[in-house]
């Protein structure tokens, strides 16, 4: 039997159950190699594509957009690449916070702050504070983020509460565990997009992705546009999620 034609967001009358899209923004290095340019230019172009993703998400009407910007393992890259990425991040935060704020977007940064420089931490705190009451969309940036790190830190927190007699073992439910994660109060991602052709999570939202749908557009992150965002969302709308139950 032929597959029914994919419906557009307009035909479906909105994004329905799709609340949260998360993106693994991968392929900056390969983009640079392909264009015979330094990796740093790939990252710069990649930072520009972030705007496309935000606009794509706002246009589609999703409530949460999470962007994987820097993983806990990315600290193992050569020092000059790490410092290029951190410099770019500072520049990006300085420039984009105003735009994002004007668009009514709330900013939230998740990840370990331990290895971030004090000036970046300050910028993050200020941006979170400034945009705290915006409600058009929440933009979550995963920075120095590792899902195993996050799960361990939640486990330690819960174990401490149990050890102190503030919580009993059977009070540790999925809801309690979710609340102890850095993503507390952010719904699980419905759709995870990864560019570059790789099909892996790379330590991203391991707990939260339990029933996520995946999309692997065949393009490198700097080439990603709002139309690619929309195409991934429309493909998602045609899927049948079962959550383990009988349809
Ligand atoms: C993604 O692009 C950016 C970060 C991981 C910070 P990459 O730098 O991983 O690009 P590729 O995968 O080498 O092409
Ligand atoms: C994942 O990309 C992290 C980000 C996009 C920030 P990587 O390029 O670091 O992942 P691997 O090494 O290919 O798995
Ligand atoms: Mg990569």
């Amino acid at each position: 039997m032929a597959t029914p034609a994919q419906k557009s967001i307009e035909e479906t009358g909105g994004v329905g159950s799709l609340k949260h899209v998360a993106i693994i923004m991968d392929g900056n290095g390969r983009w640079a190699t392909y264009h015979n340019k330094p990796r740093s230019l790939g990252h710069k172009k990649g930072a520009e594509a972030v705007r496309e993703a935000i606009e794509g998400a706002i246009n589609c009407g999703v409530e949460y957009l999470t962007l994987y910007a820097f993983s806990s393992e990315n600290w193992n890259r050569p020092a000059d690449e790490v410092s290029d990425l951190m410099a770019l991040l500072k520049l990006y935060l300085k420039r984009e916070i105003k735009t994002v704020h004007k668009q009514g977007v709330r900013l939230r940064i998740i990840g370990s702050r331990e290895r971030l420089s004090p000036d970046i931490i300050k910028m993050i705190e200020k941006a979170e504070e400034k945009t705290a009451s915006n409600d058009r969309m929440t933009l979550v940036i995963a920075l120095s983020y590792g899902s195993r790190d996050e799960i361990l830190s939640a486990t330690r927190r819960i174990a401490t509460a149990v050890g102190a007699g503030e919580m009993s073992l059977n009070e540790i439910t999925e809801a309690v565990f979710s609340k102890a994660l850095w993503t507390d109060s952010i719904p699980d991602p419905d759709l995870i997009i990864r560019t570059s052709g790789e099909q892996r999570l790379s330590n991203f939202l391991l707990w939260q992705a339990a029933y996520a749908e995946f999309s692997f557009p065949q393009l490198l992150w700097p080439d990603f546009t709002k139309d690619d965002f929309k195409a991934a969302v429309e493909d998602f709308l045609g899927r049948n999620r079962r959550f383990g139950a009988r349809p």
Side-chain angles (χ1 to χ4, degrees), residues 181-235:
L181 294 169
W182 293 326
T183 49
D184 169 32
S185 81
I186 299 169
D188 287 343
D190 302 294
L191 172 64
I192 296 181
I193 301 171
R194 181 171 188 150
T195 55
S196 90
E198 309 301 346
Q199 303 192 350
R200 53 175 173 260
L201 279 172
S202 303
N203 206 8
F204 187 49
L205 304 179
L206 302 181
W207 166 279
Q208 298 88 337
Y211 271 102
E213 296 289 325
F214 289 88
S215 169
F216 300 108
Q218 290 301 312
L219 47 92
L220 301 171
W221 178 251
D223 294 325
F224 188 86
T225 66
K226 40 180 172 291
D227 290 337
D228 297 311
F229 188 94
K230 192 174 180 213
V233 166
E234 289 181 342
D235 178 63

Side-chain angles (χ1 to χ4, degrees), residues 61-234:
V62 304
E63 292 174 37
Y64 295 84
L65 173 68
T66 297
L67 301 175
Y68 201 4
F70 193 88
S71 74
S72 48
E73 288 73 28
N74 289 149
W75 289 111
N76 301 328
R77 291 193 180 191
D80 60 337
E81 183 167 353
V82 171
S83 68
D84 275 352
L85 282 165
M86 289 299 143
L88 199 60
L89 177 76
K90 253 194 271 185
L91 196 74
Y92 177 83
L93 284 174
K94 218 181 247 166
R95 249 195 353 225
E96 288 292 311
I97 288 164
K98 253 192 227 145
T99 317
V100 162
H101 184 49
K102 252 193 238 151
Q103 287 175 305
V105 173
R106 176 179 184 179
L107 201 65
R108 209 168 132 179
I109 283 71
I110 55 168
S112 162
R113 298 200 178 175
E114 269 167 37
R115 295 178 75 176
L116 295 173
S117 68
D119 53 342
I120 290 186
I121 295 176
K122 213 164 144 200
M123 282 171 102
I124 288 172
E125 285 170 352
K126 256 175 78 181
E128 286 184 324
E129 207 182 288
K130 185 179 167 120
T131 61
S133 55
N134 291 344
D135 59 4
R136 188 160 178 209
M137 185 178 83
T138 298
L139 172 64
V140 184
I141 299 185
L143 184 64
S144 191
Y145 174 89
S147 200
R148 287 186 168 182
D149 244 14
E150 178 185 36
I151 290 170
L152 282 178
S153 109
T155 307
R156 282 190 205 104
R157 223 190 300 170
I158 291 171
T160 306
V162 172
E166 292 156 10
M167 193 188 274
S168 70
L169 282 182
N170 51 19
E171 277 176 312
I172 308 173
T173 59
E174 285 191 15
V176 164
F177 198 83
S178 293
K179 236 181 124 36
L181 294 169
W182 293 326
T183 49
D184 169 32
S185 81
I186 299 169
D188 287 343
D190 302 294
L191 172 64
I192 296 181
I193 301 171
R194 181 171 188 150
T195 55
S196 90
E198 309 301 346
Q199 303 192 350
R200 53 175 173 260
L201 279 172
S202 303
N203 206 8
F204 187 49
L205 304 179
L206 302 181
W207 166 279
Q208 298 88 337
Y211 271 102
E213 296 289 325
F214 289 88
S215 169
F216 300 108
Q218 290 301 312
L219 47 92
L220 301 171
W221 178 251
D223 294 325
F224 188 86
T225 66
K226 40 180 172 291
D227 290 337
D228 297 311
F229 188 94
K230 192 174 180 213
V233 166
E234 289 181 342

Side-chain angles (χ1 to χ4, degrees), residues 26-86:
D26 194 22
N28 295 350
R30 275 163 281 180
W31 183 93
T33 304
Y34 182 83
H35 292 278
N36 228 339
K37 302 281 190 222
R39 282 183 78 86
S40 56
L41 188 76
H43 292 313
K44 193 163 167 266
K45 292 283 176 191
E48 287 165 19
V50 168
R51 179 108 298 278
E52 292 284 321
I54 297 173
E55 276 172 22
I58 293 177
N59 292 347
C60 289
V62 304
E63 292 174 37
Y64 295 84
L65 173 68
T66 297
L67 301 175
Y68 201 4
F70 193 88
S71 74
S72 48
E73 288 73 28
N74 289 149
W75 289 111
N76 301 328
R77 291 193 180 191
D80 60 337
E81 183 167 353
V82 171
S83 68
D84 275 352
L85 282 165
M86 289 299 143

